PDB file of all heavy atoms in Angstrom:
ATOM      1  N   VAL K  57     -13.966  -0.198  22.463  1.00  0.00           N
ATOM      2  CA  VAL K  57     -15.064  -0.784  23.300  1.00  0.00           C
ATOM      3  C   VAL K  57     -15.938   0.236  23.977  1.00  0.00           C
ATOM      4  O   VAL K  57     -15.385   1.309  24.432  1.00  0.00           O
ATOM      5  CB  VAL K  57     -14.493  -1.800  24.321  1.00  0.00           C
ATOM      6  CG1 VAL K  57     -13.497  -1.139  25.330  1.00  0.00           C
ATOM      7  CG2 VAL K  57     -15.525  -2.575  25.027  1.00  0.00           C
ATOM      8  N   SER K  58     -17.237   0.051  24.108  1.00  0.00           N
ATOM      9  CA  SER K  58     -18.005   1.029  24.744  1.00  0.00           C
ATOM     10  C   SER K  58     -17.690   1.066  26.328  1.00  0.00           C
ATOM     11  O   SER K  58     -17.313  -0.028  26.878  1.00  0.00           O
ATOM     12  CB  SER K  58     -19.510   0.832  24.516  1.00  0.00           C
ATOM     13  OG  SER K  58     -20.037  -0.197  25.106  1.00  0.00           O
ATOM     14  N   SER K  60     -19.965   0.915  28.850  1.00  0.00           N
ATOM     15  CA  SER K  60     -20.734  -0.117  29.429  1.00  0.00           C
ATOM     16  C   SER K  60     -21.966  -0.384  28.492  1.00  0.00           C
ATOM     17  O   SER K  60     -22.568   0.472  27.968  1.00  0.00           O
ATOM     18  CB  SER K  60     -21.236   0.202  30.919  1.00  0.00           C
ATOM     19  OG  SER K  60     -22.049   1.369  30.855  1.00  0.00           O
ATOM     20  N   GLY K  61     -22.344  -1.629  28.476  1.00  0.00           N
ATOM     21  CA  GLY K  61     -23.644  -1.903  27.648  1.00  0.00           C
ATOM     22  C   GLY K  61     -23.433  -1.744  26.163  1.00  0.00           C
ATOM     23  O   GLY K  61     -22.264  -1.828  25.661  1.00  0.00           O
ATOM     24  N   ALA K  62     -24.584  -1.423  25.614  1.00  0.00           N
ATOM     25  CA  ALA K  62     -24.530  -1.287  24.039  1.00  0.00           C
ATOM     26  C   ALA K  62     -24.015  -0.021  23.516  1.00  0.00           C
ATOM     27  O   ALA K  62     -23.979   1.015  24.230  1.00  0.00           O
ATOM     28  CB  ALA K  62     -25.971  -1.436  23.582  1.00  0.00           C
ATOM     29  N   GLY K  63     -23.284  -0.126  22.441  1.00  0.00           N
ATOM     30  CA  GLY K  63     -22.699   1.177  21.839  1.00  0.00           C
ATOM     31  C   GLY K  63     -22.515   0.842  20.333  1.00  0.00           C
ATOM     32  O   GLY K  63     -22.345  -0.283  19.951  1.00  0.00           O
ATOM     33  N   ASP K  95     -20.717  -2.474  16.168  1.00  0.00           N
ATOM     34  CA  ASP K  95     -21.194  -2.775  17.502  1.00  0.00           C
ATOM     35  C   ASP K  95     -19.877  -2.627  18.311  1.00  0.00           C
ATOM     36  O   ASP K  95     -18.932  -3.394  18.202  1.00  0.00           O
ATOM     37  CB  ASP K  95     -21.865  -4.085  17.465  1.00  0.00           C
ATOM     38  CG  ASP K  95     -22.566  -4.360  18.762  1.00  0.00           C
ATOM     39  OD1 ASP K  95     -22.484  -3.462  19.718  1.00  0.00           O
ATOM     40  OD2 ASP K  95     -23.340  -5.428  18.895  1.00  0.00           O
ATOM     41  N   THR K  96     -19.957  -1.948  19.473  1.00  0.00           N
ATOM     42  CA  THR K  96     -18.961  -1.971  20.382  1.00  0.00           C
ATOM     43  C   THR K  96     -19.476  -2.323  21.797  1.00  0.00           C
ATOM     44  O   THR K  96     -18.964  -1.937  22.837  1.00  0.00           O
ATOM     45  CB  THR K  96     -18.421  -0.443  20.600  1.00  0.00           C
ATOM     46  OG1 THR K  96     -19.461   0.437  20.936  1.00  0.00           O
ATOM     47  CG2 THR K  96     -17.821   0.024  19.206  1.00  0.00           C
ATOM     48  N   SER K  97     -20.562  -3.125  21.763  1.00  0.00           N
ATOM     49  CA  SER K  97     -21.161  -3.553  23.052  1.00  0.00           C
ATOM     50  C   SER K  97     -20.289  -4.349  23.945  1.00  0.00           C
ATOM     51  O   SER K  97     -19.400  -5.054  23.551  1.00  0.00           O
ATOM     52  CB  SER K  97     -22.355  -4.523  22.823  1.00  0.00           C
ATOM     53  OG  SER K  97     -23.301  -3.820  22.067  1.00  0.00           O
ATOM     54  N   THR K  98     -20.484  -4.063  25.397  1.00  0.00           N
ATOM     55  CA  THR K  98     -19.672  -4.894  26.357  1.00  0.00           C
ATOM     56  C   THR K  98     -20.628  -5.723  27.168  1.00  0.00           C
ATOM     57  O   THR K  98     -20.290  -6.005  28.372  1.00  0.00           O
ATOM     58  CB  THR K  98     -18.965  -3.957  27.268  1.00  0.00           C
ATOM     59  OG1 THR K  98     -19.777  -2.944  27.783  1.00  0.00           O
ATOM     60  CG2 THR K  98     -17.867  -3.199  26.439  1.00  0.00           C
ATOM     61  N   ALA K  99     -21.816  -5.931  26.672  1.00  0.00           N
ATOM     62  CA  ALA K  99     -22.870  -6.704  27.568  1.00  0.00           C
ATOM     63  C   ALA K  99     -22.393  -8.056  27.881  1.00  0.00           C
ATOM     64  O   ALA K  99     -21.468  -8.546  27.109  1.00  0.00           O
ATOM     65  CB  ALA K  99     -24.191  -6.770  26.772  1.00  0.00           C
ATOM     66  N   VAL K 100     -22.838  -8.655  28.883  1.00  0.00           N
ATOM     67  CA  VAL K 100     -22.380  -9.878  29.269  1.00  0.00           C
ATOM     68  C   VAL K 100     -22.588 -10.845  28.067  1.00  0.00           C
ATOM     69  O   VAL K 100     -23.581 -11.029  27.512  1.00  0.00           O
ATOM     70  CB  VAL K 100     -23.261 -10.462  30.415  1.00  0.00           C
ATOM     71  CG1 VAL K 100     -22.815 -11.916  30.751  1.00  0.00           C
ATOM     72  CG2 VAL K 100     -23.009  -9.606  31.642  1.00  0.00           C
ATOM     73  N   GLY K 101     -21.450 -11.582  27.735  1.00  0.00           N
ATOM     74  CA  GLY K 101     -21.528 -12.454  26.598  1.00  0.00           C
ATOM     75  C   GLY K 101     -21.177 -11.965  25.251  1.00  0.00           C
ATOM     76  O   GLY K 101     -21.026 -12.579  24.317  1.00  0.00           O
ATOM     77  N   ALA K 102     -21.168 -10.683  25.264  1.00  0.00           N
ATOM     78  CA  ALA K 102     -20.903  -9.928  23.876  1.00  0.00           C
ATOM     79  C   ALA K 102     -19.472 -10.093  23.661  1.00  0.00           C
ATOM     80  O   ALA K 102     -18.490  -9.921  24.340  1.00  0.00           O
ATOM     81  CB  ALA K 102     -21.371  -8.436  23.948  1.00  0.00           C
ATOM     82  N   SER K 103     -19.045 -10.313  22.362  1.00  0.00           N
ATOM     83  CA  SER K 103     -17.792 -10.387  21.925  1.00  0.00           C
ATOM     84  C   SER K 103     -17.534  -9.277  20.784  1.00  0.00           C
ATOM     85  O   SER K 103     -16.908  -9.494  19.789  1.00  0.00           O
ATOM     86  CB  SER K 103     -17.409 -11.773  21.379  1.00  0.00           C
ATOM     87  OG  SER K 103     -18.167 -11.998  20.297  1.00  0.00           O
ATOM     88  N   ASN K 104     -18.170  -8.044  20.971  1.00  0.00           N
ATOM     89  CA  ASN K 104     -18.098  -7.088  20.052  1.00  0.00           C
ATOM     90  C   ASN K 104     -17.142  -5.982  20.257  1.00  0.00           C
ATOM     91  O   ASN K 104     -17.192  -4.888  19.753  1.00  0.00           O
ATOM     92  CB  ASN K 104     -19.432  -6.448  19.906  1.00  0.00           C
ATOM     93  CG  ASN K 104     -20.527  -7.484  19.438  1.00  0.00           C
ATOM     94  OD1 ASN K 104     -20.151  -8.394  18.599  1.00  0.00           O
ATOM     95  ND2 ASN K 104     -21.704  -7.462  19.877  1.00  0.00           N
TER      96      ASN K 104
END
Side-chain angles (χ1 to χ4, degrees):
V57 62
S58 70
S60 63
D95 190 352
T96 60
S97 298
T98 57
V100 175
S103 59
N104 296 325

